[in-house]
Amino acid sequence: MRRTLTVAAAAAALLVSAGPLPVAEAGGAAAVAAGRWGVYEAESFWTPERMASARPLPPGPPEPAAAPQAPVAPQPPEWPLRMPPSPTSTSTSTPAPVATPSPSATATTTTQPALTPTPTPVTLPAPGPAPAPPVRPALPRIPAAGPGVGQDFGGLPVVGRMFLVKGGGSYFCTASVVASPGRNLVISAAHCLLGSDTQQVAFVPQYTRAKPRPFGMFPVVRTAAGRSKIWIDQRYRTQGVNRAAALDVAFAQVGPGPKGRRVQDVVGGNRLVTGAGYAHARATLIGHPSTAARPRLCVNRTTKYTSTDARIPGSFLRIACTGYPGGTSGGPFLLRLDGRTGTGDVVGVIGGWKTGGDRPEVSYSSYFGTDIRKLYEKAVAGAKAP
């Protein structure tokens, strides 16, 4: 489970060397969990000190029992990890109408994950009247480097850290705003937000240690029953992170920020594109490494990787980018990143095969096909703004 920590031993060493992770003080987490979870409570709980001490999630629970999977046919040899840049055609997206399903907190289909890409790219949501663009400070300089070389930078407003409490510890992954009619959705990896004990969840755009809340904090909305509004395909919950690796994607609804504004109105949103294929000549990968005070950016081409491990079936996007250890899970794969708006087309998030890969030099994403489009539609239907 490389995106959370490389191996269980590394996780144990980290926890021992750093001491116990911070837990809620008296009247803190317990009081928050039992009551309201709005921006005031989120910012009171997630102090700059607690955010700075948060760690990537440790390895998850054992895989649930399941029937043996049929072996996957061997594929052609993999491309080299240190490959030279070579142009490939980048798929383009064609807007298409989106059907609105009935609201649901989770996906409920039970068929096996589809491994064949959707033939026609679909950009979600369909174009509509755009509100006035949010007022934002000038974007930080995006570093120029060779293909596959990751560099720390000042970040983009649309990408940030997703903080959460699990088992009494404070943790984080990477997440980003995805454009939606309600202007209140973020996307991350399912393995980051899995589990009924995931609490005090909040999204912080463009987090850095020097400026921990440049745009405030956006708490993940809770239902009347006290459950966070997070959409994960039900097959991922029941089959586990390996057997359902092709579905390692989650959407979450966040509430208004400190000034009562929706997150997309404050920082913008990336367009979700499904069915765009695997090979892209230029993709931008952004994540929050556990070892850095700032986020990391890398540009390289992506290719298709089909697993030959029957325990982890599926085909995934793959990109060679240096320096993406634990904490970068959920970071977006972006096409056509606009240097003016700081947004692009999101076609993947770090996750999928071995929850993003077993080495920090190569990252993976579940393929954004029909299953992810349907999950997004469920999230849109369930997160309609009042």
Side-chain angles (χ1 to χ4, degrees):
M1 206 167 177
R2 191 265 290 180
R3 289 305 162 201
T4 50
L5 285 179
T6 306
V7 292
L14 175 62
L15 294 177
V16 171
S17 62
L21 288 174
V23 296
E25 297 83 358
V32 171
R36 171 181 164 79
W37 181 244
V39 63
Y40 173 78
E41 291 77 15
E43 291 193 342
S44 297
F45 182 84
W46 288 109
T47 62
E49 294 75 21
R50 179 172 275 133
M51 287 190 286
S53 66
R55 296 288 184 264
L57 284 165
E63 290 287 304
Q69 299 279 333
V72 179
Q75 299 296 315
E78 303 179 9
W79 47 264
L81 300 183
R82 304 290 184 183
M83 73 286 192
S86 60
T88 56
S89 59
T90 302
S91 302
T92 58
S93 56
T94 303
V98 177
T100 303
S102 351
S104 172
T106 58
T108 56
T109 50
T110 57
T111 55
Q112 293 298 314
L115 303 183
T116 303
T118 307
T120 305
V122 178
T123 302
L124 304 172
V135 178
R136 296 192 294 266
L139 295 174
R141 183 185 67 85
I142 296 179
V149 179
Q151 293 190 87
D152 294 346
F153 78 125
L156 296 177
V158 77
V159 183
R161 282 191 180 189
M162 183 76 92
F163 290 96
L164 58 105
V165 168
K166 200 175 185 69
S170 300
Y171 302 103
F172 74 90
C173 280
T174 302
S176 57
V177 182
V178 60
S180 69
R183 310 182 72 76
N184 57 0
L185 287 182
V186 296
I187 185 172
S188 188
H191 72 263
C192 290
L193 299 174
L194 193 65
S196 59
D197 60 338
T198 301
Q199 301 175 351
Q200 276 72 269
V201 191
F203 174 66
V204 182
Q206 202 173 354
Y207 170 90
T208 63
R209 198 168 299 164
K211 295 182 179 180
R213 291 198 299 232
F215 298 98
M217 185 171 287
F218 298 83
V220 170
V221 174
R222 290 179 179 175
T223 66
R227 300 186 63 180
S228 297
K229 296 191 74 173
I230 296 169
W231 288 265
I232 296 173
D233 195 296
Q234 186 60 31
R235 291 167 288 177
Y236 194 84
R237 298 181 186 274
T238 57
Q239 297 176 21
V241 300
N242 284 332
R243 294 183 183 90
L247 300 169
D248 191 1
V249 179
F251 296 94
Q253 178 184 352
V254 295
K259 296 183 179 180
R261 299 179 65 198
R262 293 173 294 183
V263 66
Q264 190 177 329
D265 293 330
V266 176
V267 301
N270 296 315
R271 296 163 296 278
L272 181 72
V273 176
T274 62
Y278 297 86
H280 303 287
R282 181 181 175 86
T284 301
L285 189 67
I286 299 175
H288 281 262
S290 58
T291 54
R294 302 191 299 164
R296 173 156 286 220
L297 177 144
C298 172
V299 177
N300 210 347
R301 66 185 179 99
T302 65
T303 62
K304 181 178 181 179
Y305 171 73
T306 299
S307 173
T308 57
D309 186 340
R311 299 168 300 175
I312 315 175
S315 293
F316 307 90
L317 272 71
R318 176 174 52 184
I319 188 170
C321 276
T322 59
Y324 283 77
T328 58
S329 283
F333 285 58
L334 298 175
L335 305 182
R336 294 172 284 278
L337 178 60
D338 188 324
R340 180 181 59 85
T341 65
T343 63
D345 296 339
V346 57
V347 295
V349 294
I350 294 178
W353 190 76
K354 293 191 177 181
T355 60
D358 53 0
R359 303 201 311 183
E361 292 81 16
V362 182
S363 299
Y364 299 80
S365 168
S366 301
Y367 178 71
F368 280 19
T370 303
D371 289 311
I372 306 307
R373 174 167 56 84
K374 290 179 178 178
L375 186 64
Y376 169 83
E377 290 169 350
K378 287 179 181 292
V380 167
K384 289 181 178 177

